[in-house]
């Protein structure tokens, strides 16, 4: 049975089994990112197996954080809200579709602002991805089934002027699949010659070392590949009953894992690109799955969890292997189970479509999951605490950043570098492309000492009431809408009295660290109050 969840802005309910509580100790900076939480947090703690977070409700101390913005480019409005990445980012270049039909790709050097245009794609580009930040191989997919890989280089031309060039590695058109709205691409996590494509209901593997041998292809005349007679170098991995919406890959020792999501409500996990999936899940009760990604810390390749997003990416779930403590063991059949759910809701809108259109970007090194909401001009940054094992990984903090325009698509650098203190996010907005810098310290849960011991000069009774109110908020967070309404009103005195009587029961079940710290804080404040009264 799932335990009740809460979204609390008060005492820290972090995992007591993890001594670092999701952060790297201050003063250290090795393979993982140096993480120093803010001393004045503006976000909210999350706890429980099922968390309900109302984006229209603010608890005391919660303030949306304005993200620092840098302009990249102005452009004509993009058409509608659709799945897929309309932006790819490498170390020095970004690429994005533009033009009336969104069938051209602009390559921009973000340092020199030198530009180039990739032409000949004919139809709207639905997805873009670089293999790596330091390997400028760009993959693109279009609605007409065309898939391209380009090698982006920058050198001097005959006039000794800098010039960006785009050389075709492959150009292939998958035909016979029928209408495909959002073809997706996903690079192999280690091999730059392998590209995975989700087109229509099919998941295909493309090996660039074998495709198109002896064939001549161009951007305007790609190699044709019928789905019922695949050309050499193209392999069918598997199929869904609906269109594929997202793909993700991860490496487990010598085993490669691929996961695909679909509007059919299923995700399928494939091992070493074999034709039979090792797991098939219905993560959101059969509703379409909009996003899926493997998530693991950089220094623990076996510490793998899976994160899925339902319709509009409004419901996010963490999944781990059902084996002992969630450790993933390569096998012919691998059961998975959900360990935590975060559900976003809006009390201000009656229709969820009016309140949400979320896109998802993961930063595993920093333990961050970003959701951009085009309907609210917001980015919700969710911190994940890596527990001692995959099954103990939990979402434990959320902070909201505001942006200037609705975000239609966004991405970030592949992940944070060691000792980096800013999350760089590139956003395609309705009228421009911006880079936003999110202060990493505001994305992380503050230490317990900062939450409990940084008290105002108030009396012991006021501090006790504040703490009791915080416990009451946490208890009500997962309850009905009527109970949630109490969060935005003054609590009746009789309810406060009832909660105070139950305070001892609450203290018995919270972690020993919290119990000790809270008791010390109340004792110090009481002694200070007695001293002041004696002086009077």
């Amino acid at each position: 049975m799932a335990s009740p969840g809460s979204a609390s802005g008060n005492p820290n309910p972090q995992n007591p089994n993890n001594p670092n509580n999701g952060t790297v100790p201050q003063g250290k900076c090795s393979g993982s990112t140096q993480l120093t939480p803010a001393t004045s947090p503006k976000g909210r703690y999350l706890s429980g197996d099922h968390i309900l977070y109302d984006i229209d409700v603010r608890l005391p101390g919660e303030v949306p954080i304005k993200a620092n913005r840098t302009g990249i480019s102005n452009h004509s409005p993009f058409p509608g809200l659709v799945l897929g990445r309309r932006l790819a980012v490498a170390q020095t270049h970004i690429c994005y579709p533009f033009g009336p039909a969104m069938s051209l790709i602009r390559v921009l050097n973000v340092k020199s602002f030198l530009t180039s245009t990739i032409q000949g794609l004919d139809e709207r580009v639905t997805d873009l991805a670089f293999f790596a930040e330091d390997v400028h191989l760009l993959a693109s997919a279009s609605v007409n089934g065309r898939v391209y890989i380009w090698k982006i280089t920058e050198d001097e031309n005959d006039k000794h002027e800098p010039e960006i060039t785009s050389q075709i590695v492959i150009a292939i058109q998958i035909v016979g699949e029928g209408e495909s709205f959002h073809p997706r691409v996903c690079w192999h996590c280690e091999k730059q010659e392998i590209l995975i494509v989700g087109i229509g209901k099919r998941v295909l593997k493309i090996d660039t070392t074998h495709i198109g041998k002896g064939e001549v292809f161009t951007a305007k005349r790609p190699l044709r590949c019928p789905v019922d007679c695949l050309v050499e170098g193209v392999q069918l991995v598997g199929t869904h009953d609906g269109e594929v919406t997202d793909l993700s890959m991860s490496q487990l020792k010598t085993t490669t894992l691929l996961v695909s999501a679909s509007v059919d409500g299923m995700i399928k996990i494939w091992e070493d690109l074999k034709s039979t999936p090792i797991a098939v899940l219905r993560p959101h009760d059969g509703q379409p799955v909009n996003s899926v990604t493997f998530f693991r810390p950089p220094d623990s390749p076996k510490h793998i969890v899976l994160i899925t997003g339902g319709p509009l990416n409004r419901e996010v779930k963490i999944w781990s292997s059902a084996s002992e403590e969630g450790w993933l063991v390569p096998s012919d059949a691998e059961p998975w189970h959900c360990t935590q759910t975060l559900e976003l809701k809006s009390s201000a809108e009656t229709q969820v479509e009016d309140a949400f259109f979320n896109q998802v970007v993961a930063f595993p090194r920093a333990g961050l999951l970003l959701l951009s909401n085009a309907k609210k001009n917001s980015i919700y940054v969710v911190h994940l605490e890596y527990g001692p094992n995959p099954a103990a990984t939990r979402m434990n903090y959320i902070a909201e950043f505001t942006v200037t325009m609705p975000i239609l698509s966004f991405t970030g650098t592949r992940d944070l570098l060691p000792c980096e203190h800013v999350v760089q996010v590139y956003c395609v907005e309705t009228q421009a492309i911006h880079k936003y810098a999110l202060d990493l310290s505001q994305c992380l849960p503050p230490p317990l000492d900062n939450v409990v011991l940084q008290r105002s000069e108030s009396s012991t009774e006021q501090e006790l009431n504040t703490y009791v109110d915080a416990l009451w908020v946490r208890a009500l967070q997962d309850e009905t809408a009527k109970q949630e309404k109490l969060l935005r009103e003054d609590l009746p005195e009789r309810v406060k009295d009832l909660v105070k009587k139950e305070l001892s029961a609450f203290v018995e079940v919270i972690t020993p660290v919290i119990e000790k710290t809270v008791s010390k804080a109340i004792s110090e404040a009481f002694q200070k109050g007695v001293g002041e009264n004696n002086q009077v």
Side-chain angles (χ1 to χ4, degrees):
M1 178 177 178
S3 65
S6 72
S8 170
N10 294 282
N12 184 352
Q14 296 186 27
N15 190 339
N17 296 321
N18 186 357
N20 291 335
N21 283 330
T23 66
V24 176
Q26 296 186 21
K28 297 182 180 181
C29 186
S30 55
S32 58
T33 305
Q34 170 74 22
L35 308 181
T36 306
T39 56
S40 300
K42 297 178 174 63
R44 184 183 307 184
Y45 279 104
L46 307 175
S47 66
D49 292 341
H50 192 118
I51 304 162
L52 194 63
Y53 180 81
D54 193 328
I55 63 173
D56 299 311
V57 172
R58 297 277 183 270
L59 298 183
E62 292 183 3
V63 179
I65 307 161
K66 185 177 180 180
N68 294 326
R69 183 188 70 179
T70 302
I72 299 294
S73 175
N74 295 324
H75 57 74
S76 301
F78 278 83
L81 298 174
V82 296
L83 296 176
R85 292 161 293 192
R86 304 184 197 180
L87 196 65
V89 179
Q91 282 182 344
T92 55
H93 295 85
I94 67 170
C95 299
Y96 56 91
F98 73 105
M102 294 295 148
S103 60
L104 305 174
I105 298 177
R106 175 160 290 155
V107 184
L108 170 67
N109 185 314
V110 295
K111 296 182 178 180
S112 67
F113 291 96
L114 183 67
T115 63
S116 177
T117 299
I118 300 176
Q119 306 184 50
L121 285 69
D122 287 346
E123 297 288 342
R124 178 172 62 86
V125 176
T126 60
D127 207 13
L128 291 167
F130 278 109
F131 172 75
E133 292 177 24
D134 56 350
V135 179
H136 288 191
L137 285 176
L138 175 71
S140 70
S142 304
V143 293
N144 56 357
R146 294 189 179 187
V147 177
Y148 298 89
I149 295 178
W150 314 84
K151 184 177 181 180
I152 310 297
T153 59
E154 186 170 334
D155 207 343
E156 290 186 351
N157 58 20
D158 295 338
K159 299 179 181 180
H160 302 288
E161 298 172 338
E163 182 180 55
I164 299 174
T165 58
S166 306
Q167 178 185 353
I168 291 181
V169 178
I170 66 163
I172 187 170
Q173 184 170 14
I174 312 298
V175 296
E177 178 60 18
E179 191 172 25
S180 180
F181 296 100
H182 311 295
R184 303 301 304 270
V185 294
C186 175
W187 286 101
H188 190 282
C189 38
E190 293 185 347
K191 301 177 181 179
Q192 58 184 267
E193 67 270 17
I194 302 297
L195 181 71
I196 308 300
V197 178
I199 182 164
K201 301 176 182 180
R202 299 172 188 260
V203 180
L204 303 175
K205 168 192 170 185
I206 297 178
D207 186 340
T208 62
T209 60
H210 293 91
I211 197 169
K213 288 185 176 180
E215 301 282 348
V216 177
F217 49 80
T218 65
K220 287 188 173 295
R221 294 182 179 275
L223 179 67
R224 290 175 64 83
C225 178
V227 295
D228 55 356
C229 185
L230 298 175
V231 300
E232 184 181 3
V234 181
Q235 171 192 339
L236 176 66
V237 178
T239 62
H240 280 268
D241 293 330
E243 186 175 13
V244 175
T245 55
D246 203 7
L247 302 162
S248 180
M249 296 194 77
S250 186
Q251 194 74 22
L252 178 63
K253 294 185 177 179
T254 59
T255 300
T256 301
L257 297 176
L258 166 69
V259 60
S260 58
S262 170
V263 296
D264 65 6
M266 302 286 188
I267 64 170
K268 296 185 178 183
I269 303 174
W270 321 80
E271 184 181 82
D272 290 327
L273 304 180
K274 296 176 182 177
S275 58
T276 302
I278 62 172
V280 178
L281 307 174
R282 296 172 68 251
H284 299 277
D285 301 323
Q287 298 182 85
V289 185
N290 271 23
S291 65
V292 62
T293 183
F294 286 113
F295 204 92
R296 67 175 179 84
D299 54 352
S300 182
K302 295 194 300 181
H303 199 301
I304 296 177
V305 297
L306 193 65
I307 298 178
T308 64
L312 306 175
N313 287 311
R314 189 177 64 86
E315 182 182 68
V316 176
K317 292 187 176 183
I318 300 179
W319 299 79
S320 70
S321 168
S323 61
E324 185 177 359
E325 296 185 333
W327 297 110
L328 195 59
V329 179
S331 64
D332 293 333
E334 186 70 52
W336 292 67
H337 73 283
C338 178
T339 58
Q340 192 181 35
T341 300
L342 171 63
E343 181 182 352
L344 305 183
K345 62 166 291 184
S346 170
S347 56
E349 300 287 351
T350 56
Q351 301 293 326
V352 293
E353 294 81 4
D354 296 331
F356 297 100
F357 187 87
N358 296 340
Q359 307 259 15
V360 178
V361 171
F363 290 86
R365 183 183 295 274
L368 298 178
L369 188 72
L370 275 60
L371 296 91
S372 67
N373 188 356
K375 297 299 181 73
K376 295 292 183 178
N377 294 11
S378 296
I379 299 176
Y380 311 114
V381 180
V382 181
H383 179 260
L384 278 77
E385 174 195 355
Y386 292 115
N389 53 68
T393 299
R394 288 290 185 272
M395 295 176 279
N396 68 343
Y397 193 73
I398 186 169
E400 179 181 348
F401 289 80
T402 59
V403 296
T404 55
M405 304 177 191
I407 296 175
L408 305 179
S409 182
F410 80 134
T411 188
T413 50
R414 184 64 59 91
D415 212 337
L416 303 181
L417 298 174
C419 299
E420 197 168 10
H421 298 277
V422 175
V423 180
Q424 302 284 0
V425 181
Y426 293 82
C427 300
V428 176
E429 299 174 311
T430 50
Q431 299 292 335
I433 295 177
H434 287 127
K435 180 177 72 172
Y436 288 96
L438 310 183
D439 184 354
L440 187 57
S441 68
Q442 292 290 352
C443 302
L444 308 175
L448 177 63
D449 291 348
N450 289 347
V451 177
V452 178
L453 297 181
Q454 289 185 350
R455 307 184 303 275
S456 61
E457 296 299 325
S458 56
S459 66
T460 303
E461 181 65 23
Q462 289 174 324
E463 291 184 345
L464 180 60
N465 286 339
T466 300
Y467 179 63
V468 170
D469 289 347
L471 294 176
W472 181 240
V473 168
R474 291 174 58 188
L476 290 178
Q477 185 65 37
D478 242 7
E479 299 299 326
T480 64
K482 179 180 178 181
Q483 291 172 312
E484 290 172 3
K485 185 178 180 181
L486 293 176
L487 295 175
R488 301 186 296 273
E489 299 176 352
D490 293 331
L491 292 176
E493 290 299 325
R494 59 185 183 84
V495 177
K496 285 189 176 182
D497 293 337
L498 177 62
V499 176
K500 290 177 182 179
K501 292 179 181 180
E502 298 296 326
L503 178 59
S504 59
F506 276 100
V507 173
E508 290 178 0
V509 299
I510 61 177
T511 65
V513 175
I514 295 177
E515 180 181 10
K516 181 179 178 180
T517 307
V518 171
S519 299
K520 181 180 178 181
I522 294 176
S523 176
E524 290 176 353
F526 179 79
Q527 293 175 3
K528 182 178 181 180
V530 171
E532 291 176 349
N533 290 335
N534 290 337
Q535 292 178 6
V536 173

